[in-house]
Amino acid sequence: MSAIAAVVLAAGAGTRMKSAKPKVMHEVGGRPMISHLLGTVGVLDPAKVVVVTSPNMETVQKEVAPAEIANQQEALGTGHAVAAALDSLAGFSGDVLILYGDTPLIEAETLRKMIAKRRESAKCAVVVLGFEPDDPLEYGRLVTDANGNLTAIVEFADANAEERAVGLCNSGVMAIDAAHLADLIKAVDNKNAKGEYYLTDIVEIAIKRGLTCAYVKGAEDELLGVNNRAQLAEAEAIAQSRWRAAAMTAGATLIDPETVWFSHDTKLGRDVVIEPGVFFGPGVTIGDNVRIKAYSHLEGTTIGEKSQIGPFARLRPGAEIAGDVKIGNFVEVKKSQIETGAKVSHLSYIGDARIGAEANIGAGTITCNYDGYDKFKTDIGAGAFIGSNTALVAPIKVGDGAIVGAGSTISKDVAADALGIERAEEKQKPGWAKRFRDLKKKVRK
């Protein structure tokens, strides 16, 4: 089977994003748009991937590694951008996909359909991906003949009334036979109002040379090009909808799907239940039979089977939650290991710590892990009991089975099975409260 190469156009500055960051580096589901696209291309096992950038796009070039980089020195149109990649494709034989770094939602099956269509005929030089939007707006139109062959791509501004009535629009994505690519691109000129080299011109050039062109249809939501923040939000919404559907198909229950937000890499086990308002940042893996209660925020964490998280819990990067653990309401866990059966039920901060199996952490417990310069570790043994409103001043170790009395500030290690307690002497003054109230009433008269 012939090889596949991909040329990804990513040199656009994206001025409508109003951002110092290159447009293709804006994220959908916590991942840059261009990386979504390259991930999809990778499914096709391409022999070569070339990303066209402008010379000052170091962040993009770093993100797309190990793809080959071609620099477009001036922004002179899409045809000019593809021309910048021709040296990288020298000697390549097969099909070349022309893609756009700001179109992150296209699916691998659609690209396979384009390749298959291109390979139906040796004379077919170009396949264009079209779509039929509810409102064609000012998209370029794909003009076809009676046999369904593509004969031209007409820009809206240049289209007559009959052409504007065509509902089949141009996405810009193409599959081109590498044997003709260089000749077609070199034949494109810039004799137009903008003085740019348009990739779309290669359709008519190919036909004039006795070759044929074709098209396939894609879904409108795959082909959204992101040029501004509103379209970025639209792309996010489409991606979230896909991920929610995939999660439910795979065996998770989303009680209110529209309020659950996934990252691109969220992994859910079977029979997971996710309540409303849950947000997943990057790097979350959840085991079977876990329940994530409402309004919890998870990022960079793993959760073992049968655990329960939230409501209103925050799990930060490095939180490793074992099986059958309870993390309750208003609990924050950061860079800590919570071992099997442990409970941190409410109103606690656990940072840079290990909580042993079956340990119980009382309400209001704080691991004091930071002295303003460095972080220190708290180690709590298996079966230990930490009373409510305890401050554990790290570095510190509480042994297996130890008990720490409520209201303590513990700054020394507590031995296994010992009681650690730190409280000031309690003093009472009989009748003081009544005298205080009487005095206040007298003064206010």
Side-chain angles (χ1 to χ4, degrees), residues 55-406:
N56 60 344
M57 288 187 169
E58 292 82 4
T59 56
V60 176
Q61 294 168 6
K62 182 179 179 180
E63 178 68 23
V64 303
E68 190 169 340
I69 301 299
N71 279 317
Q72 184 184 16
Q73 298 296 329
E74 296 180 80
L76 298 178
T78 50
H80 184 259
V82 174
L86 291 178
D87 286 348
S88 297
L89 295 169
F92 174 77
S93 178
D95 292 289
V96 179
L97 290 165
I98 308 298
L99 302 162
Y100 298 82
D102 62 359
T103 308
L105 302 175
I106 194 165
E107 298 191 16
E109 186 55 35
T110 300
L111 300 180
R112 289 192 184 100
K113 284 170 57 179
M114 295 180 67
I115 296 295
K117 185 70 174 179
R118 216 293 308 153
R119 292 175 179 175
E120 285 180 1
S121 169
K123 287 187 66 178
C124 182
V126 180
V127 171
V128 176
L129 181 58
F131 66 108
E132 294 179 317
D134 293 335
D135 185 349
L137 300 170
E138 297 187 2
Y139 290 111
R141 303 303 204 263
L142 301 187
V143 180
T144 60
D145 62 19
N147 297 318
N149 296 311
L150 181 64
T151 57
I153 302 175
V154 181
E155 296 301 322
F156 180 85
D158 300 324
N160 57 37
E162 182 180 357
E163 291 166 336
R164 290 184 179 185
V166 172
L168 185 61
C169 296
N170 175 38
S171 73
V173 176
M174 296 185 181
I176 306 172
D177 187 344
H180 303 294
L181 176 62
D183 288 342
L184 292 174
I185 291 296
K186 290 175 182 177
V188 173
D189 62 41
N190 64 343
K191 296 176 182 178
N192 52 63
K194 290 187 176 181
E196 294 185 353
Y197 298 86
Y198 294 135
L199 179 62
T200 51
D201 289 351
I202 68 171
V203 169
E204 292 190 70
I205 294 169
I207 292 169
K208 289 177 181 178
R209 295 185 176 188
L211 300 168
T212 63
C213 298
Y215 71 92
V216 298
K217 292 182 184 178
E220 181 179 3
D221 65 3
E222 288 185 66
L223 302 175
L224 174 68
V226 176
N227 294 302
N228 55 46
R229 306 282 181 157
Q231 290 172 337
L232 183 65
E234 187 178 350
E236 182 76 45
I238 293 168
Q240 292 296 333
S241 181
R242 289 182 183 179
W243 294 332
R244 291 165 189 151
M248 291 185 285
T249 299
T253 294
L254 277 59
I255 293 175
D256 187 2
E258 295 300 314
T259 68
V260 175
W261 289 80
F262 289 111
S263 178
H264 69 97
D265 59 352
T266 305
K267 295 180 176 63
L268 303 180
R270 295 181 64 180
D271 294 311
V272 170
V273 177
I274 302 174
E275 296 185 5
V278 174
F279 183 92
F280 294 92
V284 177
T285 299
I286 297 177
D288 296 344
N289 297 292
V290 169
R291 190 177 190 101
I292 310 296
K293 293 191 172 184
Y295 303 105
S296 294
H297 187 290
L298 293 74
E299 179 180 1
T301 185
T302 59
I303 302 172
E305 61 181 21
K306 299 181 180 179
S307 287
Q308 180 175 292
I309 309 298
F312 296 98
R314 185 182 183 197
L315 302 185
R316 293 169 55 193
E320 299 175 14
I321 312 300
D324 201 27
V325 166
K326 181 181 179 182
I327 303 294
N329 49 292
F330 302 104
V331 172
E332 179 176 352
V333 181
K334 168 254 178 187
K335 198 178 179 181
S336 297
Q337 297 76 49
I338 314 297
E339 297 182 354
T340 304
K343 294 178 175 61
V344 189
S345 294
H346 31 225
L347 301 164
S348 296
Y349 170 68
I350 306 298
D352 298 282
R354 179 188 75 92
I355 310 299
E358 304 296 333
N360 187 91
I361 309 300
T365 295
I366 297 173
T367 57
C368 306
N369 59 328
Y370 184 48
D371 68 356
Y373 295 92
D374 298 299
K375 299 290 180 70
F376 299 95
K377 185 170 182 178
T378 298
D379 189 282
I380 298 174
F385 183 94
I386 309 299
S388 297
N389 199 33
T390 293
L392 299 167
V393 183
I396 194 170
K397 182 173 182 178
V398 178
D400 295 349
I403 294 176
V404 173

